[in-house]
Amino acid sequence: MASLSQSEENYLKEIFHLTQLQKEKVSTNSLASRLNTKASSITDMLQKLAEKQLVQYIKYKGCSLTENGEKIAVQIIRKHRLWETFLVNKLNFGWDEVHEVAEELEHIDSVKLVDSLDQFLNYPKFDPHGDPIPDKNGKIPYRKTKMKLVDAGIHKKLEIVRVNEDEMGLLKYLERQNLQLGTKLEIIEKFSFDDSMLVRTELDTTINLSKKVTENISVKIVEN
Amino acid sequence: MASLSQSEENYLKEIFHLTQLQKEKVSTNSLASRLNTKASSITDMLQKLAEKQLVQYIKYKGCSLTENGEKIAVQIIRKHRLWETFLVNKLNFGWDEVHEVAEELEHIDSVKLVDSLDQFLNYPKFDPHGDPIPDKNGKIPYRKTKMKLVDAGIHKKLEIVRVNEDEMGLLKYLERQNLQLGTKLEIIEKFSFDDSMLVRTELDTTINLSKKVTENISVKIVEN
DNA sequence: GTAAATTTTTAGTCTTGTCTAAAAAAATAG
DNA sequence: CTATTTTTTTAGACAAGACTAAAAATTTAC
Ligand SMILES: [Mn+2]
Ligand SMILES: [Mn+2]
Ligand SMILES: [Mn+2]
Ligand SMILES: [Mn+2]
């Protein structure tokens, strides 16, 4: 089990994420754009990872993770999300400040460290953005009932359970609007001409949210 | 201020440590043995670091840190020792388990992270081995009164304030003997034929310590 | 003060991960 | 179904950081 380079780990992680989004095999170009590299670099690396039995790769057909590759990817995601939780819960980072540092911390290689951190944080199930934190065995506590705000029905009592941390600028925007995980809200009206919606929060403030926003927030129904 | 590679940071740190030990310029070979590389690799890197104005390097004459190089080295040491403190104080690592992980954590690049960690730990002055932790501004809280146990006088009340974490196996040995930072002891007798000594600890247990041990423990005098 | 031993540097290679440019395969359009 | 466009792969290059072997400088020994 020779340990992997940061680069290799990032590739595995990204293949995992892309596989979640669309069920098909992951294309060279999609990886290239997520990893900010050129397609040729992706091809090189995929060949290496295939060699190491971490991905299945068929020329021109894209790739997917092997069982082993997925196991490793999940552990990196576990570390990433635990560190983000640590930074927010213990070191008082804002939720928009943690991702970059977690990108570095996730590569620290020590099982004892990760497990101790997990315990120290009291075995959190979700990170500061509401993403599930895989446990020691790689089990991911997906939320069963969760939908994008854009798809939620009108006049139901909703609670924000997840925000898309990848969406550049969203976190800061939500902070400014006083919207956070756990915030309860209700859709008052949906405007079809620009797909924005008017929502009312607990404090009786009403805000208009654009499609861009409501597509990147997930909620659960609290009551109806 | 382009950020440095892990390798470059390790070189700077090691040059700093070696400069502390012996006042002269640091030799290529001494660096090679500390960094587990070959002398030729050292030469290559010194040329690069000299280029970047981080070390002063004169062919065949050894090197030393520039002001800027030292500043960076000290900040890495700060990070190393803060992380070690975190691991012991918050995650319940043993003092013999932290160094390796800290070697990785010390390269995480985020001033906010380091300073928050420092605050979270309550601005510790010393790490789990009794080594001083540089502050945000690079000031190092050296202990004024401290001597190697091997050099301490007989029948004085002493307290362990520092152990040499580099000495392979020492930490585990001391743990086994129930000797830790803060342990009070008194030298009962010194044996010149093998330079060992008999010490009595607070709990009235007496232990014979070899020269190898007493050279790598530092104490302060509590009373005489 | 010269010869031998040691230390340090140089020259040349290798691996990793990236890039650009060109070639090849696959997808799309008419 | 063929031609064009797009995607992917290959070929060749480069920088970082390490290594080995050989050359050069320095130190030590007599
Ligand atoms: Mn993140
Ligand atoms: Mn997250
Ligand atoms: Mn250490
Ligand atoms: Mn230490």
Side-chain angles (χ1 to χ4, degrees):
Chain A
M1 210 65 59
S3 86
L4 302 174
S5 70
Q6 295 207 179
S7 217
E8 290 172 315
E9 291 190 347
N10 285 334
Y11 276 76
L12 293 180
K13 193 180 47 153
E14 221 43 72
I15 295 168
F16 182 88
H17 284 317
L18 287 172
T19 303
Q20 302 283 100
L21 295 183
Q22 15 103 22
K23 217 56 221 192
E24 317 129 44
K25 300 205 129 202
V26 173
S27 75
T28 299
N29 264 355
S30 63
L31 271 172
S33 81
R34 288 288 238 124
L35 290 167
N36 291 303
T37 54
K38 302 295 169 166
S40 55
S41 307
I42 302 291
T43 302
D44 287 348
M45 183 61 96
L46 289 182
Q47 287 167 349
K48 198 166 57 152
L49 292 174
E51 190 65 40
K52 295 192 183 185
Q53 317 257 11
L54 298 172
V55 309
Q56 284 168 267
Y57 167 61
I58 305 164
K59 259 194 195 183
Y60 295 103
K61 295 292 177 182
C63 69
S64 59
L65 294 173
T66 63
E67 204 174 319
N68 199 209
E70 180 168 327
K71 209 175 287 180
I72 294 170
V74 168
Q75 286 308 310
I76 297 160
I77 291 164
R78 166 170 162 80
K79 288 190 279 183
H80 183 101
R81 294 181 178 165
L82 281 172
W83 280 116
E84 287 190 343
T85 304
F86 170 74
L87 293 174
V88 168
N89 291 5
K90 301 292 182 177
L91 299 194
N92 298 116
F93 275 57
W95 70 354
D96 57 314
E97 299 174 309
V98 297
H99 179 76
E100 202 186 0
V101 185
E103 282 294 311
E104 296 189 50
L105 285 162
E106 72 190 2
H107 301 292
I108 303 290
D109 178 31
S110 162
V111 173
K112 178 168 169 116
L113 173 59
V114 183
D115 293 343
S116 304
L117 188 64
D118 197 13
Q119 178 179 38
F120 183 59
L121 297 172
N122 233 268
Y123 305 105
K125 288 255 195 312
F126 301 95
D127 83 0
H129 315 102
D131 286 311
I133 301 175
D135 74 11
K136 190 184 168 72
N137 305 118
K139 181 140 182 40
I140 304 176
Y142 291 111
R143 257 189 172 102
K144 330 108 247 321
T145 55
K146 174 186 89 166
M147 68 193 90
K148 290 185 179 172
L149 178 53
V150 72
D151 298 324
I154 208 162
H155 293 314
K156 307 201 185 262
K157 187 123 193 211
L158 306 171
E159 177 182 333
I160 298 178
V161 295
R162 193 236 171 201
V163 298
N164 185 355
E165 68 163 351
D166 290 346
E167 200 50 58
M168 192 36 206
L170 176 64
L171 298 179
K172 269 210 173 81
Y173 171 82
L174 293 175
E175 183 115 70
R176 194 93 32 99
Q177 302 294 332
N178 238 301
L179 295 174
Q180 42 196 264
L181 290 198
T183 295
K184 305 228 173 35
L185 46 78
E186 180 186 333
I187 301 173
I188 304 300
E189 192 174 353
K190 291 187 176 188
F191 303 103
S192 57
F193 79 100
D194 68 350
D195 294 303
S196 70
M197 60 171 68
L198 199 64
V199 305
R200 178 167 52 224
T201 70
E202 300 152 290
L203 310 150
D204 269 337
T205 54
T206 62
I207 321 173
N208 186 272
L209 298 175
S210 68
K211 185 178 191 205
K212 184 93 175 271
V213 170
T214 59
E215 271 179 326
N216 286 290
I217 293 181
S218 296
V219 295
K220 69 175 184 192
I221 298 174
V222 177
E223 74 185 52
N224 41 346
Chain B
M1 208 66 56
S3 86
L4 302 174
S5 70
Q6 296 208 179
S7 217
E8 291 172 313
E9 291 190 345
N10 284 334
Y11 276 77
L12 293 181
K13 191 180 50 154
E14 220 44 72
I15 295 168
F16 182 88
H17 285 317
L18 287 172
T19 303
Q20 301 284 98
L21 296 182
Q22 17 101 23
K23 215 56 221 194
E24 317 128 43
K25 300 203 128 202
V26 173
S27 77
T28 300
N29 265 354
S30 62
L31 270 172
S33 80
R34 289 287 238 124
L35 290 167
N36 290 303
T37 53
K38 302 296 169 165
S40 55
S41 307
I42 302 292
T43 302
D44 287 348
M45 184 60 97
L46 289 182
Q47 288 167 349
K48 198 166 59 151
L49 293 173
E51 190 64 42
K52 295 191 183 185
Q53 316 259 11
L54 298 172
V55 309
Q56 283 168 267
Y57 167 60
I58 305 165
K59 258 194 195 180
Y60 295 103
K61 295 293 177 180
C63 69
S64 58
L65 294 173
T66 62
E67 204 174 319
N68 199 209
E70 179 168 327
K71 210 175 286 181
I72 293 171
V74 167
Q75 286 308 311
I76 297 161
I77 291 165
R78 166 170 162 79
K79 287 191 278 184
H80 183 100
R81 294 181 178 165
L82 281 173
W83 280 116
E84 287 190 345
T85 304
F86 170 73
L87 293 173
V88 167
N89 292 6
K90 301 292 183 178
L91 299 194
N92 298 116
F93 275 57
W95 69 355
D96 57 312
E97 299 174 309
V98 297
H99 179 76
E100 202 186 1
V101 185
E103 282 293 311
E104 296 190 49
L105 287 162
E106 72 189 4
H107 302 292
I108 304 290
D109 180 31
S110 162
V111 172
K112 176 166 170 119
L113 174 59
V114 182
D115 292 344
S116 304
L117 189 63
D118 196 13
Q119 177 178 39
F120 183 59
L121 297 171
N122 231 267
Y123 305 105
K125 288 256 195 311
F126 300 95
D127 83 1
H129 314 103
D131 287 311
I133 301 175
D135 74 12
K136 191 184 170 68
N137 304 119
K139 181 138 183 41
I140 305 176
Y142 291 110
R143 252 182 177 107
K144 331 106 246 317
T145 56
K146 174 186 89 166
M147 68 193 90
K148 289 184 179 172
L149 179 53
V150 71
D151 298 324
I154 207 162
H155 294 314
K156 307 200 186 265
K157 188 122 193 212
L158 307 171
E159 178 182 332
I160 299 178
V161 295
R162 192 238 171 198
V163 298
N164 184 354
E165 70 163 350
D166 290 346
E167 200 50 56
M168 194 33 207
L170 175 65
L171 297 178
K172 270 210 172 80
Y173 171 83
L174 293 176
E175 183 115 69
R176 196 92 33 99
Q177 301 294 332
N178 237 300
L179 296 174
Q180 41 195 264
L181 289 198
T183 295
K184 304 228 174 35
L185 47 78
E186 180 186 333
I187 301 173
I188 305 300
E189 193 175 351
K190 290 187 176 187
F191 303 104
S192 56
F193 78 99
D194 70 349
D195 293 303
S196 72
M197 61 170 68
L198 199 65
V199 304
R200 179 169 51 224
T201 70
E202 300 154 288
L203 310 151
D204 270 336
T205 54
T206 62
I207 320 175
N208 186 272
L209 298 176
S210 69
K211 185 178 191 205
K212 184 92 176 271
V213 170
T214 58
E215 271 178 326
N216 286 290
I217 294 181
S218 296
V219 295
K220 70 175 182 190
I221 298 175
V222 178
E223 72 184 52
N224 44 347

